[in-house]
Amino acid sequence: MTPGRSLLWTALAVSLTALLAVFYPALYDPWQVLCWVIGGVLLLDAVLARKPPGMTVSRTLRHSIPVGVWSKVGLTLENVDSRPLRLSLHDHYPPGFDSQSMPCSLDLPAHCTGRVEYRVKPLRRGDAEFNGCDVIAVSPLGFWRKRHFYPLAERVKVFPDFQEIGRYALLATDHRLSQMGVRRRQRRGQGNDFHQLREYRAGDALRQIDWKASSRYRKLISKEYQDERDQQVLFLLDCGRRMHHEESGRVHLDQALNAMLLLAHVAAQQGDAVGLLTFGGTDRWLPPRKGAGVVRELLSRTYDLMAGQDAADFLLAAKQLMSLQQRRALVVLLTNTRDEEHADLIGAIQLLKRRHLVVVANLRESILDEVLERPVSDLDGALEFHTVNEYLESRRKSLENLRHQGVLTLDLQAPQLPVALVNGYLMIKASGSL
């Protein structure tokens, strides 16, 4: 219990009257009586303040919220007491959350219900817990402030920000994929699965013509094919120490998760099965599954993934995947590598290529490109430019070596990854190489 502002003003007034009693001794006895009266009032107010206010507190919030996005939290307070309450509130939101409009104050009339809202923004994925709410009530006479704790333990799950998935779904609905940079390759009858018969169009290959149907209808009829469905896409997600790298407040692992979820959504829409194997930190395995629910399941299995402190073992991960995945699949490796890991990566790719088609998406730090674009004005700048250029050239040669082995490689900054992955997947589907 702490003194309120009224008590401080009262103490100041009593001190001033004490000075008057010093100069006017006749006021000493009335001053003592005043002190005893005020002391009794303060004691009575303190006793009343210790009693918890007659009120209930409840919280409303979403139990699944995206990282880095503001979300609303509401507190509802019901005053069942016969006197009005003056309150200050502080909700115990999880550590690592930013907040707006908290703490706050509220005047609650007798037998009334009040509601306050504030916003939180989680800065990292995973499980988080709201522990309770502190309510500081002002005593009936306003001399004291007493803190009361209301336990309101609630657990929330902080998921990756899936706004890109929603944006893709909207664009796909409106047939405006090109606005994301996704390029659909138009092909006439060159898929793998038969789709339908239609009238011959200029440009159709002779092998597309169905001669039996043409003779029956007395006009040229072409066969139309579609990209093969019921294929499998398997993500091999690096959760090692390299994925700790942070840019613009987002670590590489978070950005790789967003790109993975977007491609999973696209593949599920194409009728393919999607699976996941993580390595380098927490090892998790999700066998390939089909249907719209696969994205939701990926979210529930990856929302609390964090990058570990150890280096990723690519060869061990490849051996594990080969034992778990017997059917041929498109394996998408999401990672951030260095030259010293190239030999291990080559061995893993060679093992995977025995059965699977492999795509390596290698994330590159944006600071490297910024150094090359920065004007060189002194010796230190020239040395930095030369070092970065030499490193990138070595990186380019390493990835070129992978391409010569038939691996599709992507070397790009994290923000470029989602659209590049989708385009690569659509290119593979169009080519029929899977």
Side-chain angles (χ1 to χ4, degrees):
M1 190 160 53
T2 58
R5 185 175 298 177
S6 298
L7 178 55
L8 299 179
W9 284 111
T10 302
L12 179 61
V14 170
S15 301
L16 292 176
T17 56
L19 291 176
L20 291 176
V22 171
F23 293 102
Y24 301 97
L27 296 177
Y28 181 72
D29 290 337
W31 178 79
Q32 279 191 316
V33 174
L34 178 64
C35 287
W36 281 106
V37 172
I38 292 176
V41 172
L42 293 178
L43 181 60
L44 175 62
D45 199 32
V47 172
L48 295 175
R50 294 188 66 84
K51 179 184 176 182
M55 59 176 292
T56 59
V57 183
S58 60
R59 184 194 296 114
T60 56
L61 76 162
R62 294 168 53 194
H63 290 86
S64 299
I65 56 179
V67 65
V69 177
W70 290 104
S71 301
K72 289 183 178 180
V73 181
L75 292 172
T76 303
L77 301 91
E78 182 181 2
N79 183 5
V80 297
D81 211 335
S82 58
R83 66 181 180 88
L85 298 174
R86 285 180 291 167
L87 309 170
S88 295
L89 309 175
H90 178 68
D91 199 13
H92 288 208
Y93 52 84
F97 278 41
D98 284 343
S99 70
Q100 290 180 345
S101 305
M102 182 58 57
C104 63
S105 299
L106 176 69
D107 289 331
L108 195 59
H111 303 293
C112 287
T113 300
R115 179 178 173 83
V116 296
E117 285 189 347
Y118 70 100
R119 300 201 306 165
V120 294
K121 182 172 71 172
L123 303 180
R124 56 181 296 177
R125 295 172 292 99
D127 291 316
E129 187 171 359
F130 289 76
N131 292 320
C133 180
D134 278 336
V135 176
I136 300 177
V138 180
S139 61
L141 299 179
F143 291 114
W144 302 98
R145 293 163 56 88
K146 172 67 175 175
R147 184 180 71 88
H148 303 277
F149 179 72
Y150 289 81
L152 299 170
E154 291 186 82
R155 187 176 294 273
V156 297
K157 296 180 178 180
V158 182
F159 285 96
D161 181 12
F162 36 85
Q163 287 182 347
E164 283 292 342
I165 298 176
R167 182 180 172 215
Y168 171 81
L170 289 174
L171 291 174
T173 301
D174 293 339
H175 304 287
R176 291 185 285 119
L177 296 175
S178 60
Q179 292 187 15
M180 278 188 68
V182 175
R183 301 183 299 273
R184 284 196 177 278
R185 291 167 171 76
Q186 300 295 327
R187 301 178 306 138
R188 292 185 175 180
Q190 295 180 6
N192 301 314
D193 288 352
F194 174 77
H195 180 49
Q196 64 182 0
L197 293 175
R198 57 167 173 79
E199 288 190 21
Y200 176 84
R201 298 173 188 168
D204 287 350
L206 289 179
R207 62 185 177 86
Q208 290 180 234
I209 299 176
D210 188 319
W211 296 107
K212 290 185 179 180
S214 298
S215 62
R216 184 164 58 250
Y217 290 103
R218 298 181 179 275
K219 60 182 177 181
L220 290 178
I221 301 295
S222 293
K223 298 177 182 178
E224 189 172 83
Y225 295 86
Q226 64 182 358
D227 291 336
E228 185 178 350
R229 301 170 71 85
D230 197 26
Q231 295 178 324
Q232 298 196 345
V233 179
L234 191 59
F235 294 101
L236 191 55
L237 180 61
D238 182 359
C239 297
R241 64 188 181 195
R242 301 290 188 198
M243 303 298 280
H244 272 293
H245 180 76
E246 183 174 338
E247 294 177 341
S248 302
R250 302 172 67 187
V251 298
H252 271 179
L253 182 58
D254 284 0
Q255 294 171 305
L257 277 174
N258 287 348
M260 181 192 76
L261 292 169
L262 175 60
L263 181 53
H265 174 79
V266 175
Q269 295 282 23
Q270 295 285 322
D272 290 342
V274 180
L276 168 71
L277 177 65
T278 66
F279 68 101
T282 304
D283 294 342
R284 296 183 184 177
W285 165 244
L286 178 64
R289 299 180 183 178
K290 298 180 63 175
V294 69
V295 177
R296 190 179 303 110
E297 188 163 1
L298 278 173
L299 275 170
S300 65
R301 295 290 295 273
T302 60
Y303 77 94
D304 58 345
L305 273 178
M306 299 297 169
Q309 299 299 325
D310 298 328
D313 190 332
F314 295 100
L315 189 56
L316 180 62
K319 292 178 180 178
Q320 186 178 5
L321 187 142
M322 291 292 286
S323 64
L324 293 171
Q325 179 67 19
Q326 300 300 320
R327 179 178 169 181
R328 178 174 170 83
L330 171 64
V331 176
V332 181
L333 173 60
L334 301 168
T335 185
N336 180 352
T337 62
R338 298 291 187 275
D339 282 351
E340 60 269 20
E341 300 162 332
H342 184 65
D344 188 25
L345 180 61
I346 287 289
I349 296 302
Q350 290 175 343
L351 178 61
L352 292 172
K353 281 184 76 285
R354 296 177 185 176
R355 184 183 303 151
H356 306 294
L357 180 63
V358 183
V359 175
V360 177
N362 202 17
L363 297 178
R364 184 177 71 248
E365 292 83 354
S366 60
I367 186 63
L368 299 174
D369 297 315
E370 293 172 6
V371 169
L372 295 184
E373 296 171 359
R374 191 182 303 160
V376 178
S377 57
D378 53 19
L379 178 60
D380 291 339
L383 292 175
E384 185 179 38
F385 177 88
H386 175 74
T387 301
V388 170
N389 194 52
E390 186 177 16
Y391 167 75
L392 289 178
E393 179 62 21
S394 174
R395 182 186 179 100
R396 186 192 64 79
K397 290 180 179 179
S398 298
L399 294 177
E400 188 67 27
N401 189 12
L402 290 176
R403 293 190 192 100
H404 289 161
Q405 299 186 41
V407 176
L408 176 63
T409 61
L410 301 172
D411 184 24
L412 33 72
Q413 298 179 25
Q416 303 167 335
L417 181 60
V419 170
L421 271 185
V422 173
N423 280 326
Y425 165 78
L426 294 177
M427 181 185 68
I428 291 172
K429 293 286 288 184
S431 66
S433 56
L434 181 56

